[in-house]
Amino acid sequence: MSSHDTTQTKILDAAEFLFAERGFAETSLRTITGRAKVNLASVNYHFGSKKSLIQAVFDRFLQDFTQQLSVRLEQLEQEPANELKAETLLAALIDPLLSLNTKRPNAVSIFMRLLGRAYAETQGHLRRYVTERYGHVLVRFTLLFQKGYPELTNDQIFWRLHYMLGSLIFTLAGSDALRQISEADFNRSLEVKDVIEEMVPFLAAGMKA
Amino acid sequence: MSSHDTTQTKILDAAEFLFAERGFAETSLRTITGRAKVNLASVNYHFGSKKSLIQAVFDRFLQDFTQQLSVRLEQLEQEPANELKAETLLAALIDPLLSLNTKRPNAVSIFMRLLGRAYAETQGHLRRYVTERYGHVLVRFTLLFQKGYPELTNDQIFWRLHYMLGSLIFTLAGSDALRQISEADFNRSLEVKDVIEEMVPFLAAGMKA
DNA sequence: CACCAAATAAAACACTTGTTTGAAACATAC
DNA sequence: GTATGTTTCAAACAAGTGTTTTATTTGGTG
């Protein structure tokens, strides 16, 4: 049996869609297994618990994403400081992100909505899990910005990175709905790629303020 | 009995805190009435349902906020276009926001976390309710930006406004946790006001890109 | 004081939730 | 082909949910 249409993959596919659509608490295991067309008990059999299933959904995205991001960061870490401009650094973040869409349709939007929800879970286990497991790439990313913008203090960098993350996650998480509004109002079609490219000059200008 | 410590107010206070802290679905009526020290049935008696309670929590914030914002917008709508710069327009949004903190401590952070959760509820009733009821102020706000930045296309304005909202909500919603990190790393104390003031140049520069 | 509507209280209701159980079906190796 | 370990399935479980019901208490009015 190929790695698609295994029970585990069917569960993950259904779960990530529904979690992004409705949220974690609002999505029951019965809804997930119903959509995945598998037995209810198979979630606990294969993943142990709902909590672990949520983490598994994130792992599948983050392993893929951080691996690609890490390659880009290695290249950039050997560049001189004057090459580390916001546009370049953002590209290192955005390219791996967009490549998710080549494997599964709408993956970027789903991933961003999941991140938004994980971020909202201020006190929950999920935020801790994600930062503990994938926080080191964010640190490397921060260091590159510090190197590229020595005229900014470290906490200016810290905060501006969060401004950028906010714009990215917020916009892309709602991009499906927003794209529909925009397309209706302004009568042109937009892809996720277009939305992001429109955003880069905005963020880069802010970084240079 | 003063308008504080009525049963309704005690419920609203407990609910808004817990909703912001844990989320809507993750907060049970028993937790709310337990914290508020009132009887379980009083929520349904005074508000009708949990759904209506959630809307009431938002109404209390939004009525206060949009009323102050509306006054500022009226003033700005009489200004000439060359006075409508990003810093000015952002101030019209931020001042009413900060004034929430004068009435209840941490109100800004709670309000922003609630907004973040409402925004995440992409398909839910809440987003529809908020936009239908308070969407017109956002429209007025958009029109002012279009007037102040005639060199930008309408959909550039549309998207950049969302970038700004993303930064604002994302940063302020997590500002409690982020402030702690920042204060520990850089050894200086930060107020919500400081976080926002640090943000304005970033956003304004992006607007002029 | 008696009366009545409004508010509070305790208990029960119907329902959904995540998880566990034990048997059946399946696959793999000897 | 039988035995063994893995996976699927239907059913049940205990716990927690929002809501309703039924009494009881409260506070003001005649």
Side-chain angles (χ1 to χ4, degrees):
Chain A
M1 199 186 305
S2 86
S3 84
H4 300 75
D5 71 0
T6 66
T7 302
Q8 313 203 23
T9 319
K10 285 195 281 185
I11 293 175
L12 284 174
D13 287 341
E16 79 173 24
F17 175 84
L18 291 165
F19 285 154
E21 197 79 4
R22 321 181 179 184
F24 305 114
E26 295 86 349
T27 305
S28 73
L29 294 184
R30 284 169 178 79
T31 313
I32 294 173
T33 54
R35 182 184 169 92
K37 295 194 175 69
V38 299
N39 188 269
L40 167 62
S42 57
V43 170
N44 290 280
Y45 178 78
H46 286 288
F47 296 95
S49 67
K50 184 181 182 181
K51 203 185 265 190
S52 306
L53 171 62
I54 297 175
Q55 294 180 348
V57 167
F58 271 89
D59 274 334
R60 195 167 63 152
F61 268 119
L62 286 171
Q63 275 175 17
D64 193 348
F65 172 67
T66 54
Q67 189 177 323
Q68 293 192 61
L69 176 59
S70 189
V71 174
R72 299 291 297 254
L73 291 181
E74 275 171 29
Q75 297 170 351
L76 290 174
E77 277 155 358
Q78 293 164 3
E79 295 280 339
N82 60 352
E83 289 292 334
L84 302 176
K85 291 305 144 200
E87 291 86 348
T88 315
L89 293 167
L90 281 173
L93 193 71
I94 290 169
D95 292 344
L97 197 63
L98 284 176
S99 88
L100 295 178
N101 257 359
T102 63
K103 301 187 179 177
R104 269 173 294 161
N106 269 332
V108 174
S109 165
I110 291 177
F111 182 38
M112 290 294 106
R113 272 185 284 173
L114 288 176
L115 273 188
R117 293 192 185 281
Y119 197 86
E121 275 230 341
T122 328
Q123 64 150 18
H125 64 106
L126 195 52
R127 191 193 168 107
R128 224 174 11 253
Y129 179 80
V130 169
T131 55
E132 270 181 16
R133 215 162 150 132
Y134 301 96
H136 62 281
V137 286
L138 186 63
V139 171
R140 286 170 68 192
F141 199 65
T142 311
L143 291 174
L144 284 173
F145 266 97
Q146 289 178 353
K147 188 175 165 190
Y149 291 84
E151 68 275 18
L152 297 177
T153 66
N154 282 359
D155 57 343
Q156 274 177 323
I157 299 276
F158 173 85
W159 285 104
R160 292 188 181 190
L161 261 172
H162 276 92
Y163 307 154
M164 294 199 284
L165 281 183
S167 291
L168 259 172
I169 294 180
F170 188 86
T171 307
L172 291 181
S175 64
D176 285 348
L178 292 178
R179 274 214 319 278
Q180 287 173 11
I181 300 173
S182 172
E183 290 178 2
D185 285 8
F186 310 122
N187 217 25
R188 64 164 171 132
S189 79
L190 286 171
E191 292 297 317
V192 175
K193 198 183 162 192
D194 302 322
V195 176
I196 292 184
E197 278 174 4
E198 183 97 15
M199 203 183 323
V200 171
F202 178 91
L203 298 178
M207 205 63 209
K208 290 166 191 154
Chain B
M1 199 187 307
S2 88
S3 84
H4 299 75
D5 69 4
T6 65
T7 301
Q8 312 202 22
T9 320
K10 284 194 284 185
I11 292 174
L12 284 174
D13 287 341
E16 79 173 24
F17 175 84
L18 291 165
F19 285 155
E21 197 77 4
R22 318 182 180 185
F24 304 113
E26 294 86 348
T27 305
S28 73
L29 294 184
R30 285 167 178 80
T31 313
I32 294 173
T33 54
R35 183 184 168 93
K37 295 193 175 70
V38 300
N39 189 271
L40 167 63
S42 57
V43 170
N44 290 281
Y45 178 77
H46 286 289
F47 296 95
S49 67
K50 184 181 182 180
K51 203 184 263 191
S52 306
L53 171 63
I54 297 175
Q55 293 181 348
V57 167
F58 271 89
D59 275 333
R60 194 167 63 152
F61 269 119
L62 286 171
Q63 276 174 18
D64 193 349
F65 172 68
T66 54
Q67 190 176 321
Q68 294 192 60
L69 176 59
S70 190
V71 175
R72 299 290 297 255
L73 291 181
E74 276 171 28
Q75 297 170 351
L76 290 174
E77 278 155 357
Q78 293 163 5
E79 295 280 341
N82 60 353
E83 290 290 334
L84 301 176
K85 291 304 144 200
E87 290 86 348
T88 316
L89 293 168
L90 281 173
L93 192 73
I94 288 168
D95 292 344
L97 197 62
L98 283 176
S99 87
L100 295 178
N101 258 359
T102 63
K103 301 186 179 175
R104 267 173 295 161
N106 270 331
V108 174
S109 165
I110 291 176
F111 183 39
M112 290 294 107
R113 270 184 285 174
L114 288 175
L115 273 188
R117 294 192 185 281
Y119 195 87
E121 275 230 341
T122 329
Q123 65 150 16
H125 65 107
L126 195 51
R127 191 193 168 109
R128 223 172 13 253
Y129 179 80
V130 170
T131 55
E132 271 180 17
R133 213 162 153 133
Y134 301 96
H136 63 280
V137 286
L138 186 62
V139 172
R140 287 170 68 193
F141 199 67
T142 309
L143 290 175
L144 285 173
F145 265 97
Q146 290 178 353
K147 188 173 165 191
Y149 291 84
E151 69 274 18
L152 296 177
T153 66
N154 283 357
D155 56 343
Q156 275 177 322
I157 299 277
F158 172 86
W159 285 104
R160 293 188 179 189
L161 261 171
H162 277 91
Y163 306 154
M164 294 199 284
L165 282 182
S167 291
L168 259 171
I169 294 180
F170 188 86
T171 306
L172 292 180
S175 65
D176 285 348
L178 292 179
R179 273 215 319 278
Q180 286 172 12
I181 300 173
S182 172
E183 289 176 3
D185 284 8
F186 310 121
N187 217 25
R188 63 162 173 136
S189 79
L190 285 170
E191 292 297 316
V192 175
K193 199 183 162 194
D194 302 322
V195 176
I196 293 184
E197 278 174 5
E198 182 97 14
M199 203 183 323
V200 171
F202 177 91
L203 298 178
M207 205 64 207
K208 290 165 191 154

Short mmCIF file of all heavy atoms in Angstrom, two decimals, chain A residues 16 67 76-77 103 131 159-160 178 181 185 192 201:
data_model
loop_
_atom_site.label_atom_id
_atom_site.label_comp_id
_atom_site.label_asym_id
_atom_site.label_seq_id
_atom_site.Cartn_x
_atom_site.Cartn_y
_atom_site.Cartn_z
N GLU A 16 -6.13 17.51 9.50
CA GLU A 16 -5.54 18.82 9.25
C GLU A 16 -6.53 19.75 8.56
O GLU A 16 -6.59 20.94 8.87
CB GLU A 16 -4.24 18.70 8.44
CG GLU A 16 -4.43 18.49 6.95
CD GLU A 16 -3.11 18.55 6.20
OE1 GLU A 16 -2.05 18.29 6.79
OE2 GLU A 16 -3.15 18.85 5.00
N GLN A 67 12.82 21.67 7.31
CA GLN A 67 13.94 21.05 6.61
C GLN A 67 14.37 21.90 5.42
O GLN A 67 15.55 22.19 5.24
CB GLN A 67 13.51 19.65 6.14
CG GLN A 67 14.67 18.82 5.58
CD GLN A 67 14.18 17.43 5.21
OE1 GLN A 67 13.34 16.84 5.90
NE2 GLN A 67 14.68 16.91 4.10
N LEU A 76 22.53 31.18 3.69
CA LEU A 76 22.57 32.59 4.08
C LEU A 76 23.59 32.85 5.19
O LEU A 76 24.17 33.93 5.27
CB LEU A 76 21.18 33.04 4.53
CG LEU A 76 20.14 33.15 3.42
CD1 LEU A 76 18.76 33.46 4.00
CD2 LEU A 76 20.53 34.23 2.42
N GLU A 77 23.80 31.83 6.03
CA GLU A 77 24.73 32.02 7.14
C GLU A 77 26.17 32.21 6.66
O GLU A 77 27.04 32.64 7.41
CB GLU A 77 24.64 30.81 8.11
CG GLU A 77 23.48 30.95 9.09
CD GLU A 77 22.98 29.60 9.61
OE1 GLU A 77 23.51 28.57 9.19
OE2 GLU A 77 22.03 29.61 10.43
N LYS A 103 2.75 20.12 -3.18
CA LYS A 103 2.48 18.73 -2.79
C LYS A 103 1.00 18.51 -2.54
O LYS A 103 0.44 17.50 -2.97
CB LYS A 103 3.28 18.39 -1.52
CG LYS A 103 4.77 18.54 -1.72
CD LYS A 103 5.55 18.04 -0.52
CE LYS A 103 7.04 18.18 -0.77
NZ LYS A 103 7.85 17.78 0.38
N THR A 131 7.40 25.32 19.85
CA THR A 131 8.60 26.14 20.07
C THR A 131 9.76 25.29 20.56
O THR A 131 10.90 25.51 20.18
CB THR A 131 8.31 27.26 21.09
OG1 THR A 131 7.80 26.68 22.29
CG2 THR A 131 7.30 28.24 20.55
N TRP A 159 11.03 42.43 17.97
CA TRP A 159 9.64 42.84 17.79
C TRP A 159 9.25 42.91 16.33
O TRP A 159 8.17 42.47 15.94
CB TRP A 159 9.38 44.19 18.46
CG TRP A 159 9.31 44.05 19.95
CD1 TRP A 159 10.27 44.41 20.85
CD2 TRP A 159 8.23 43.50 20.72
NE1 TRP A 159 9.86 44.09 22.13
CE2 TRP A 159 8.61 43.54 22.08
CE3 TRP A 159 6.99 42.96 20.40
CZ2 TRP A 159 7.79 43.07 23.10
CZ3 TRP A 159 6.18 42.50 21.41
CH2 TRP A 159 6.58 42.56 22.75
N ARG A 160 10.14 43.44 15.49
CA ARG A 160 9.79 43.57 14.07
C ARG A 160 9.61 42.20 13.41
O ARG A 160 8.80 42.06 12.49
CB ARG A 160 10.88 44.38 13.34
CG ARG A 160 10.88 45.83 13.80
CD ARG A 160 11.79 46.71 13.00
NE ARG A 160 11.73 48.08 13.54
CZ ARG A 160 12.26 49.13 12.96
NH1 ARG A 160 12.91 48.99 11.82
NH2 ARG A 160 12.14 50.33 13.50
N LEU A 178 -10.35 36.43 2.27
CA LEU A 178 -9.98 37.77 1.81
C LEU A 178 -9.83 37.80 0.30
O LEU A 178 -10.20 38.79 -0.34
CB LEU A 178 -8.67 38.21 2.47
CG LEU A 178 -8.74 38.46 3.98
CD1 LEU A 178 -7.37 38.84 4.52
CD2 LEU A 178 -9.75 39.56 4.29
N ILE A 181 -13.15 38.28 -1.25
CA ILE A 181 -13.60 39.68 -1.17
C ILE A 181 -12.87 40.52 -2.20
O ILE A 181 -13.47 41.26 -2.98
CB ILE A 181 -13.35 40.25 0.23
CG1 ILE A 181 -14.10 39.45 1.29
CG2 ILE A 181 -13.75 41.73 0.30
CD1 ILE A 181 -13.75 39.84 2.70
N ASP A 185 -14.37 42.56 -5.31
CA ASP A 185 -14.33 44.02 -5.33
C ASP A 185 -13.51 44.57 -6.49
O ASP A 185 -13.87 45.56 -7.11
CB ASP A 185 -13.75 44.55 -4.01
CG ASP A 185 -14.76 44.44 -2.88
OD1 ASP A 185 -15.82 43.83 -3.10
OD2 ASP A 185 -14.48 44.96 -1.79
N VAL A 192 -2.18 32.60 -3.80
CA VAL A 192 -1.43 32.81 -2.56
C VAL A 192 -0.09 33.47 -2.87
O VAL A 192 0.36 34.37 -2.16
CB VAL A 192 -1.21 31.47 -1.84
CG1 VAL A 192 -0.33 31.66 -0.62
CG2 VAL A 192 -2.53 30.86 -1.43
N PRO A 201 7.27 43.91 -0.19
CA PRO A 201 7.72 45.31 -0.12
C PRO A 201 7.24 46.01 1.13
O PRO A 201 7.99 46.79 1.74
CB PRO A 201 7.08 45.96 -1.37
CG PRO A 201 6.69 44.84 -2.24
CD PRO A 201 6.46 43.65 -1.39
#
